[in-house]
Amino acid sequence: QVQLVESGGGLVQAGGSLRLSCAASGRAGSLYTMAWFRQAPGKEREFVSGVSWIGSLSTTTTRYADSVKGRFTISRDSAKNTVYLQMNSLKAEDTAVYLCGAGRYYNDYGRFDYWGQGTQVTVSS
């Protein structure tokens, strides 16, 4: 089993920045893809950004939703089993609960076996 714990959410003014963290524990070594999703009230969950890796090949790939490209940056600290989402130039429409998902397959963004509880991000305009 893997446990995911998100942190870093909060209230920020439009144009500001936040950094979210998602720490994996348990059998974190079985993971090959981690991603951030978000869900706003009355809307469906949407993909925000993801990172996938193959440690033996030192290969890491990243993916972003069009709505956050150029503003958000995803990164991973393998030693800490933690993925970060640096969010800059935040907009009111970025307001949502941000959830971290993790999967056991490289570059597969269709299967996430584990989910965190989510962290609230609120951007005031």
Side-chain angles (χ1 to χ4, degrees):
Q1 288 294 322
V2 173
Q3 294 77 43
L4 302 176
V5 177
E6 303 103 329
S7 62
L11 173 65
V12 64
Q13 289 188 332
S17 299
L18 283 174
R19 189 177 82 154
L20 305 182
S21 299
C22 176
S25 61
R27 297 185 63 186
S30 66
L31 303 175
Y32 290 92
T33 296
M34 292 179 71
W36 288 96
F37 291 75
R38 65 187 181 187
Q39 188 163 18
K43 294 187 177 181
E44 293 187 354
R45 183 178 297 183
E46 64 173 353
F47 172 81
V48 176
S49 180
V51 57
S52 193
W53 62 90
I54 299 180
S56 61
L57 299 177
S58 298
T59 298
T60 301
T61 59
T62 57
R63 184 180 294 192
Y64 296 92
D66 288 343
S67 59
V68 306
K69 281 181 182 177
R71 299 189 299 123
F72 291 10
T73 302
I74 194 167
S75 61
R76 172 178 171 257
D77 185 331
S78 58
K80 296 182 179 180
N81 292 318
T82 299
V83 169
Y84 303 97
L85 185 68
Q86 178 66 42
M87 306 187 295
N88 299 329
S89 302
L90 283 161
K91 306 175 182 179
E93 49 264 43
D94 294 318
T95 295
V97 174
Y98 283 69
L99 301 108
C100 177
R104 296 174 290 149
Y105 302 94
Y106 171 69
N107 217 27
D108 186 342
Y109 289 88
R111 284 186 288 187
F112 289 90
D113 304 287
Y114 309 102
W115 292 92
Q117 293 298 311
T119 185
Q120 177 70 46
V121 172
T122 303
V123 184
S124 62
S125 57

